[in-house]
Amino acid sequence: QVQLVESGGGSVQAGGSLRLSCAASGLEVRWNCMGWFRQAPGKEREGVASMYTLGDRTYYTDSVRGRFTLSQDNAKNTLYLQMNSLKPDDTAMYYCAAKWGVCSARPLFNTEFSTWGQGTQVTVSS
């Protein structure tokens, strides 16, 4: 059974940092396309970042490029999202997701991902 468990969310002031973790079981993060998505109240789910380690490819949405960094620890089978210089607009529920195999030509589209975690809340105050 595939399971993704997120942690690391919380409340911070603008300019602060958080690191989200996604512990995977039932699949290996290095062999599959792994991503982070977020959804704010009243808004559609948005792709934040995704990566496929074997292809050495990482993708970021424009609004977070340069502030967020995606990484993974293969020994722990865990995906991380380091978020720096947080803004109030980053406030959302953040979800970890997995797509079997390589990332598709649309690496930040939520319909490409088949397995999802339960989410972790990030709140950034001004």
Side-chain angles (χ1 to χ4, degrees):
Q1 183 180 358
V2 179
Q3 192 173 21
L4 303 175
V5 179
E6 302 99 330
S7 61
S11 298
V12 296
Q13 290 190 327
S17 298
L18 285 173
R19 189 177 78 157
L20 304 184
S21 300
C22 171
S25 58
L27 64 81
E28 291 195 42
V29 296
R30 59 182 158 179
W31 296 108
N32 298 286
C33 182
M34 303 296 299
W36 285 97
F37 293 76
R38 65 186 181 186
Q39 188 167 18
K43 294 187 177 181
E44 293 186 355
R45 191 166 295 189
E46 171 192 29
V48 176
S50 65
M51 71 184 304
Y52 178 63
T53 300
L54 293 183
D56 193 25
R57 293 183 179 274
T58 307
Y59 309 90
Y60 296 96
T61 193
D62 288 345
S63 63
V64 308
R65 187 174 292 113
R67 299 189 297 122
F68 291 11
T69 303
L70 195 58
S71 64
Q72 56 188 211
D73 183 331
N74 293 331
K76 295 182 178 180
N77 206 31
T78 298
L79 182 74
Y80 300 101
L81 183 67
Q82 178 66 43
M83 305 187 296
N84 298 329
S85 302
L86 282 162
K87 304 176 181 179
D89 283 349
D90 296 319
T91 295
M93 184 72 79
Y94 282 70
Y95 298 91
C96 178
K99 173 192 176 298
W100 293 100
V102 304
C103 292
S104 74
R106 304 186 302 172
L108 296 179
F109 275 63
N110 58 20
T111 54
E112 300 293 322
F113 291 77
S114 58
T115 302
W116 294 83
Q118 82 289 349
T120 186
Q121 178 67 38
V122 172
T123 302
V124 184
S125 58
S126 58

